[in-house]
Amino acid sequence: SEVLLEDLDHVGPATAQKLKDAGFNTVEAIAVASPAELANSAEIGESTAAKIINAARQAADIGGFETGDTVLERRKLVGKLTTGCEEFDEMMGGGIESQSITEMYGEFGCGKTQVAHQLAVNVQLPPEQGGLGGSVVIIDTENTFRPERIEQMVRGLSEKHGIEYDPEEFLKNIHVARAYNSNHQILLVESASELANELKDSEMPVRLLIVDSLTAHFRAEYIGRGTLADRQQKLNKHLHDIQRFGDLFNACVIVTNQVMSKPDAFFGDPTKPIGGHILGHTATFRLYIRKSKGDKRIVKLVDSPNLPDGEAIMSITTEGLGD
Ligand code: ADP
Ligand code: MG
């Protein structure tokens, strides 16, 4: 059912080849490109590029219009997932939103994976307790998922709520897959959708997708400027798939991103997340996490469509995330 580049109006075999050589391998990649970008890569005029982009948008079925009331209907279903830290929840307007991508970025060891583990636990709680009454899919690219850590956090929650939760029950609702490279990572989103479809009408539908880390494989595999465009295209398509997952299953989506340490950089912020502007435009909420004193972490909301920027202090202890 996949539409080929050659099927698009204004794309002949030669243009298709040039587009592919420049890293525009799919109709989706073209659909989200700018005319100037495409014109440069395929050595075509900008007006032709614009026509190709339009054709791609129609073929990929993205970029269509919806009326405001339809959007509002869907927004009414948005769920909020508690982080376990009151200040953090408040900053997010009640918790992590479903139907959105939330990106957490920060240095190695700042706590991105810890937050991901805690959300994998919390999502399983009923809404009265701040959860979404659902299960979770984790795409683990760095082999940092630890079931023992989940057990600790469930015990912490039992203490906090005065309810005896069973860690094993929680572990059963966490579906983890190790991603061995970026292509595998991309394919795993498809598998995640299949699983979510199977569980759709079950007691524990998938309400959270975690990709930890989103960018590590991409960064490792695409080194040097020549392959940067290709990397961005792939990452862009991947994020598009991930966003669709969130919309389709009314799920929260958490992606992590490690910042570059560039001590020799003359310009710009050395703590800029990798992935560049494409990630910036796709992730709906961006959280910058940094270490503070002891077990404290500062979480900064950097970008949000409907919330003021803000900062929250959370703690990471053996029991999990807290105030
Ligand atoms: P990132 O994913 O951002 O690289 P992590 O989420 O792996 O970082 O965070 C690691 C940190 O989390 C550790 O340095 C420690 O401060 C904290 N941490 C990990 N496990 C525990 C635990 N069992 N008890 C308390 N703190 C922990
Ligand atoms: Mg990590």
Side-chain angles (χ1 to χ4, degrees):
S1 69
E2 182 138 328
V3 183
L4 300 171
L5 263 52
E6 290 85 347
D7 298 337
L8 297 173
D9 281 348
H10 312 284
V11 179
T15 304
Q17 195 52 53
K18 278 182 196 158
L19 287 170
K20 285 177 196 166
D21 290 345
F24 296 98
N25 293 311
T26 63
V27 172
E28 283 82 5
I30 293 171
V32 296
S34 75
E37 226 180 335
L38 211 64
N40 275 332
S41 311
E43 294 156 4
I44 51 175
E46 273 202 35
S47 67
T48 308
K51 285 176 194 159
I52 293 173
I53 290 168
N54 269 334
R57 285 186 182 163
Q58 276 167 20
D61 195 22
I62 60 172
F65 290 99
E66 285 183 299
T67 50
D69 57 331
T70 311
V71 178
L72 184 64
E73 270 318 300
R74 199 177 55 239
R75 291 281 309 161
K76 278 183 191 159
L77 298 174
V78 165
K80 308 252 179 165
L81 170 58
T82 186
T83 62
C85 167
E86 232 170 87
E87 250 183 62
F88 192 172
D89 283 354
E90 259 168 47
M91 178 176 74
M92 298 301 289
I96 306 286
E97 276 193 5
S98 66
Q99 297 178 26
S100 288
I101 298 178
T102 300
E103 176 197 355
M104 300 191 290
Y105 69 96
E107 275 175 25
F108 175 78
C110 73
K112 303 179 292 293
T113 298
Q114 297 302 309
V115 178
H117 276 68
Q118 185 71 62
L119 293 173
V121 170
N122 293 357
V123 72
Q124 303 187 38
L125 298 170
E128 312 86 75
Q129 291 164 20
L132 298 174
S135 55
V136 51
V137 172
I138 302 178
I139 298 177
D140 181 10
T141 77
E142 299 183 306
N143 198 19
T144 52
F145 173 73
R146 294 289 176 275
E148 300 84 357
R149 191 67 185 114
I150 297 292
E151 288 177 332
Q152 287 179 336
M153 287 176 168
V154 173
R155 277 187 227 112
L157 216 54
S158 292
E159 221 169 281
K160 188 173 170 182
H161 292 183
I163 299 172
E164 226 11 81
Y165 299 114
D166 180 1
E168 210 176 306
E169 285 305 311
F170 278 75
L171 286 169
K172 280 182 184 158
N173 294 314
I174 301 176
H175 307 273
V176 194
R178 186 77 203 281
Y180 292 97
N181 55 50
S182 65
N183 280 326
H184 187 209
Q185 182 180 330
I186 288 166
L187 287 175
L188 282 173
V189 179
E190 261 176 59
S191 316
S193 298
E194 282 163 22
L195 181 63
N197 258 324
E198 278 169 34
L199 295 175
K200 211 171 172 180
D201 300 315
S202 75
E203 260 174 57
M204 292 300 260
V206 178
R207 299 299 305 279
L208 173 62
L209 172 65
I210 292 167
V211 186
D212 183 17
S213 136
L214 176 76
T215 45
H217 281 318
F218 287 89
R219 174 152 64 166
E221 291 164 28
Y222 295 87
I223 300 163
R225 279 205 150 268
T227 55
L228 201 62
D230 192 26
R231 179 182 90 179
Q232 294 303 79
Q233 294 305 324
K234 278 226 165 115
L235 200 48
N236 199 359
K237 159 90 165 62
H238 184 41
L239 278 163
H240 186 243
D241 294 345
I242 287 171
Q243 175 67 58
R244 266 179 78 108
F245 185 98
D247 288 343
L248 216 54
F249 301 106
N250 191 15
C252 296
V253 178
I254 297 288
V255 303
T256 69
N257 192 4
Q258 197 179 317
V259 296
M260 283 194 269
S261 52
K262 270 200 312 185
D264 57 348
F266 280 104
F267 303 107
D269 182 355
T271 58
K272 276 258 187 316
I274 71 156
H277 73 281
I278 288 180
L279 199 50
H281 290 309
T282 319
T284 322
F285 298 94
R286 315 192 78 201
L287 298 167
Y288 177 37
I289 306 179
R290 57 190 200 275
K291 280 186 177 170
S292 185
K293 282 194 192 107
D295 59 16
K296 300 289 186 211
R297 300 290 190 279
I298 301 166
V299 187
K300 187 171 179 178
L301 178 61
V302 178
D303 229 336
S304 144
N306 57 338
L307 295 170
D309 288 2
E311 269 190 4
I313 312 271
M314 69 172 174
S315 64
I316 303 176
T317 65
T318 306
E319 288 72 36
L321 297 196
D323 297 319

